[in-house]
Amino acid sequence: MIVLHGTSDVPPAARGGVLAIGNFDGVHRGHQALLKAAKERAVQLDAPAGVILFEPHPREHFQPDEPHFRLTPLARKLELLESHGLDLAVVVRFDAALAGLSAQEFIDRIIAGALGARHVVIGYDFRFGKGRTGDTELLRQAGSERGFGLTVVAPVGDHAGQVFSSGAVRAALAKGDVSGAARVLGHWWRVTGTVIGGFKRGTGLGFPTANIALSPGTALAHGIYAVRVYVDGKAHAAAAYLGTRPTFDNGAPMLEVFLFDFDGDLYGQQIAVEFIGFVREDAKFDSLEALKAQIAKDCTRAQEILDEAPAAPQVG
């Protein structure tokens, strides 16, 4: 997959494509409907299929003092997009200059100009340009004038009528419902980080953990989870704790993972933690002995969840 950061120097292979436009945070099943439509149209036109996405998330530009819960950092987002068979990803920096472009200017400079799109795919609720004045009708009219087609994808949801959206994923994660989040995503949600030092309390209890700090704004419910931890591409069964350690100090939240089948030093290494199931809520214990006994039960339950879990979530 060709990845372009900006549109100032677009190679010929990246022009004339079928481009889905959006933030694609999570690359959930609603986003995947756009990708599918783009790929199908690209086959018909014998053109590359790609996306235009924005970095950072527009909310981070307009509300810089309010931490935003990003489901997928850029690297993970690009990885997921490539896994869906795209040929091209155009990462457009969302800054004051871009925010100041009118909808027509965005079309003229980026869609029709720099990228020479042959076809555009958007979701039913897509708005763009300064003041969010750009809509499907403006794009359709511009396409007829500038020579590109338009596909508008209707809402996509489950059998219960829930529309797949990034907001739905965040709502599920805020309740600790990581399996529900995975059903909306179509893949397991994961976080990535560099292992940092802790207080070694887990080691003292017989459960040494690898600790990573989560990005500001990450609104995952505190508690114990069954997870898979990826170290150098290899998956390890594990239990994870996210919380403030109320038995000890009620400190800053930290993600602590105990790998069941790993014996080694992970300090300074980057790991990915994939959330499979919820075990229990965070709690304060009266003694270290009680905490240690509960951790052992948590690990047993986490292993049971992992043993029962499929490689990919059952989306239904």
Side-chain angles (χ1 to χ4, degrees), residues 48-108:
V51 296
I52 298 174
L53 57 92
F54 306 99
E55 181 68 21
H57 193 286
R59 188 173 300 175
E60 296 176 31
H61 170 77
F62 289 114
Q63 300 172 321
D65 298 327
E66 297 182 20
H68 174 57
F69 184 5
R70 292 192 60 165
L71 300 173
T72 45
L74 180 59
R76 174 62 174 160
K77 190 182 298 185
L78 293 173
E79 177 185 324
L80 288 167
L81 290 169
E82 186 170 23
S83 75
H84 284 279
L86 295 184
D87 304 302
L88 170 69
V90 182
V91 183
V92 177
R93 180 168 179 75
F94 199 97
D95 55 14
L98 186 72
L101 289 183
S102 69
Q104 190 63 54
E105 287 172 328
F106 181 82
I107 294 169
D108 292 340

Side-chain angles (χ1 to χ4, degrees), residues 179-223:
S179 58
R183 286 191 292 273
V184 178
L185 289 166
H187 52 84
W188 303 111
W189 181 68
R190 66 167 61 179
V191 298
T192 303
T194 301
V195 177
I196 59 178
F199 293 101
K200 298 188 180 298
R201 291 178 179 134
T203 300
L205 293 169
F207 300 93
T209 60
N211 306 331
I212 62 175
L214 297 183
S215 300
T218 302
L220 175 66
H222 290 184

Side-chain angles (χ1 to χ4, degrees), residues 191 195-203 205 207-214 220 223-227 229 238-246 248-249 251-260 271 273 275 282 291 295 299:
V191 298
V195 177
I196 59 178
F199 293 101
K200 298 188 180 298
R201 291 178 179 134
T203 300
L205 293 169
F207 300 93
T209 60
N211 306 331
I212 62 175
L214 297 183
L220 175 66
I224 308 294
Y225 295 88
V227 300
V229 178
Y241 168 75
L242 175 64
T244 60
R245 301 163 300 282
F248 296 101
D249 58 7
M254 180 80 69
L255 182 64
E256 307 174 8
V257 293
F258 171 60
L259 286 68
F260 300 153
I271 63 174
V273 182
F275 288 78
D282 198 4
L291 174 58
I295 293 174
C299 291

Side-chain angles (χ1 to χ4, degrees), residues 36-50:
K36 182 174 183 289
K39 290 191 296 180
E40 290 175 349
R41 190 66 176 132
V43 170
Q44 296 168 357
L45 295 175
D46 191 23

